[in-house]
């Protein structure tokens, strides 16, 4: 099944929170995810054809203090900026989704987001589409994970991902049952801080 | 089961939209619902003890053009006011819920809302609680209904209500399986316009 | 000149922040302001005629930690609730004003608000009317004050109020140049905490 | 004086609304404005050094029906998308500014916006900075214009721009008193529709 891009909120068997993001695409396979210190960025590959589209690259992960957020577009930036001003994660997600809304493309593609606030041990998933706006706190059991996708799985949906490290979870996310992986990224919130890993088809 | 106040979005067997609101209460039985031309109001009964609480009465139904909204508190007013300015119902509900948030009482009681936009034949339910914000479009089948309540049933939940008229649906809502009814109101969106009915324990 | 209800953001000659609120009214003189521990409430006098209007009484002052807010309506409540969740005062004011909007009466009467965050030594005024939404940080000099009113003075306007104590400022606010005072309240943020005073024509 | 980027809301001597946007820059002179059918885009010049910065290009003008909006960043997109959903211009601007907030760079650079709704003959300016959020309706006289800038002129400020056509106004905007022009764009709302013109230093 093809479900487009999706975000993941999960816990390892050792009860550590992790977040994931996968770019799946029928149209734009020429993209990779680059890991920077406090963010991850989706960018075109060196061999991608030139484009006037100003939305081809965006941050897909941002961090602010104890809060980490992944998303399928630039709404990750105002979300994390509001965290820096003191907003709770629920409100920061909801305001960015309400204001920036679904993508006004041919599919009314939803904006999706996942985040963890380590201070309150709280994980949240969110989505805005033409028919809904939703942000909710969820508590996966150790070893379990939930995803929200741009197509088909537009409510929290269980997904099985095996792995103890960011790199292992990254491979599980790349190779999971859903079609057309392009690039994946995982942030594992371990005792020594946030560990990032990424894998891309064209890298 | 006691589920507190709840809103209902349903369709009659004849495929007419209706909205319902029920005040159920352990603490404040001295309340009735009064029907006015374009609204319904929850007010204390004549024999209710005097109170300094400025929130004891509120509009629970408002209409604006082809849009009708019911709610468990004063968020119905900014919601319908934004409809008057041109907002779609999804956004009007979501902005009011995000801004006014759950009630800051001992239970963090959620705000709930239901609405129908007859122009687009669209029905929506919404809720904001400490752990979630949700507004979604729903399409009950003829003869079916969904509720969202302040307690227990905080996601859309099927409820069976028999009736062809506003008054019959009102009685079904008063007498349904959930405990401690105080006052109910139904708005039926029929071919001749919106028909209102109300019933209160203390009236 | 009649400017309706207004909020005040000022500093005493001793450089202490204070907030004020005055009910001026052509239509409803039967109102007083009652001071409670963490709030002030506008309520009808005992001899006021009974009314179905659910908006005749409202909190006009709320406090949360080091933040104090005054307003001409129930938007003070969601504003202070968001402070409790971590919002900065600018955002809490702006979201409540944007969502609750001007009063949909015959005059499109604006909602107005003033607040002080003692942690950041910051004072703000805000207003939403049919033609504008504004929240801004202002820094009156010692002995100076600014007001925003529902009519005429709908941008920050200097006002001279003499007084060292909440009671003295209250009298100055009651007796100032603008017409038809009904009730006034002042919150003085002194070194021992917030001192409240109120005065009403009909008390 | 250097005032950074700025937006303009004006009327020609013939009482036609126009909007302008000027990129002024100390840091990034390698940018031009490209005119497309329903938008204008700020993009790097062909000789600009490669950059990982995902914000170097953005739409600076968008149109939706009778509404035209110019802005100094990507908030123009959610603003115009909400117009498409029915929001009034005041609300569409205010929600995008509140949610996306000032730029979190070394200067807390404000987001600025100007727009005209030809249906209601209404023009608005808006800004969000660390100390303020403001959207207001303004009515310049024929031959007059107001600007809001990212630095110094952060409240509506009169500017004199001579010109009858989009191209003439573009030159006036490029050559006006403020320093370091990089690229300018004007949208003139004439009787035959919206006429666009642009001029860039490096084109």
């Amino acid at each position: 099944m093809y479900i487009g891009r999706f975000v993941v909120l999960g816990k390892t068997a050792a009860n550590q929170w992790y977040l994931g993001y996968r770019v799946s695409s029928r149209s734009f396979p020429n993209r990779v995810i680059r890991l920077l210190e406090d963010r991850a960025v989706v960018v075109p590959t060196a061999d991608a054809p030139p484009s006037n589209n100003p939305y081809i690259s965006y941050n897909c992960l941002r961090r602010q203090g104890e809060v980490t957020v992944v998303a399928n577009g630039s709404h990750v930036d105002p979300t994390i900026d509001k965290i820096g001003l003191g907003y709770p994660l629920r409100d920061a997600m909801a305001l960015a989704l309400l204001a920036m809304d679904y993508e006004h493309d041919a599919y009314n593609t939803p904006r999706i987001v996942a985040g963890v606030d380590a201070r309150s041990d709280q994980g949240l998933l969110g989505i805005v589409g033409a028919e809904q706006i939703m942000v909710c706190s969820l508590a996966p059991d150790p070893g379990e994970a939930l995803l929200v996708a741009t197509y088909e799985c537009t409510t929290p949906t269980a997904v099985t991902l095996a792995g103890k490290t960011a790199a292992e979870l990254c491979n599980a996310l790349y190779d999971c049952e859903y079609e057309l992986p392009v690039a994946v990224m995982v942030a594992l919130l371990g005792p020594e801080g946030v560990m990032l890993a990424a894998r891309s088809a064209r890298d």
Side-chain angles (χ1 to χ4, degrees), chain A:
Chain A
M1 184 163 62
Y2 178 69
I3 62 170
R5 289 166 281 162
F6 57 93
V7 293
V8 175
L9 173 73
K11 282 196 159 178
T12 65
N15 205 28
Q16 295 172 332
W17 284 107
Y18 67 88
L19 295 167
Y21 176 54
R22 198 177 100 173
V23 181
S24 318
S25 185
R26 289 185 284 226
S27 325
F28 298 103
N30 304 299
R31 286 180 288 173
V32 297
I33 295 176
R34 299 277 177 234
L35 302 177
L36 307 177
E37 190 182 2
D38 67 343
R39 66 188 67 203
V41 191
V42 176
V43 291
T45 55
D47 65 346
S51 165
N52 264 337
N53 184 333
Y55 304 108
I56 235 163
S57 81
Y58 54 90
N59 291 321
C60 63
L61 173 138
R62 290 282 306 275
R63 296 171 52 195
Q64 171 73 41
E66 299 293 303
V67 176
T68 306
V69 175
V70 297
N72 73 328
S74 57
H75 51 295
V76 71
D77 297 308
T79 302
I80 209 73
D81 288 342
K82 290 297 191 189
I83 296 296
L85 295 181
Y87 279 54
L89 186 49
R90 182 198 64 151
D91 292 59
M93 283 182 173
L95 181 60
L97 293 179
L98 173 59
M100 298 186 67
D101 220 330
Y102 57 88
E103 300 180 3
H104 287 256
D105 58 10
Y107 308 98
N108 286 351
T109 302
R111 287 185 189 266
I112 51 176
V113 61
V116 172
D117 185 337
R119 296 166 301 185
S120 54
D121 192 35
Q122 189 185 31
L124 296 104
L125 284 176
I127 183 169
V128 62
E131 305 276 308
Q132 67 163 331
I133 298 177
M134 186 275 296
V135 172
C136 66
S137 179
L138 292 161
D141 285 326
E144 301 198 338
L146 295 157
L147 68 80
V148 169
T150 52
Y151 309 122
E152 309 293 338
C153 302
T154 55
T155 55
T157 303
V159 58
T160 302
L161 300 170
K164 292 186 302 294
T165 67
E168 288 170 4
L169 289 163
C170 219
N171 285 331
L173 189 53
Y174 191 95
D175 296 324
C176 79
E177 67 195 278
Y178 299 108
E179 296 173 7
L180 294 173
V182 168
V184 297
M185 188 237 26
V186 164
L188 177 63
L189 285 68
E192 301 95 41
V194 179
M195 306 302 295
L196 301 180
R199 175 180 162 188
S200 303
R202 292 295 190 84
D203 217 357

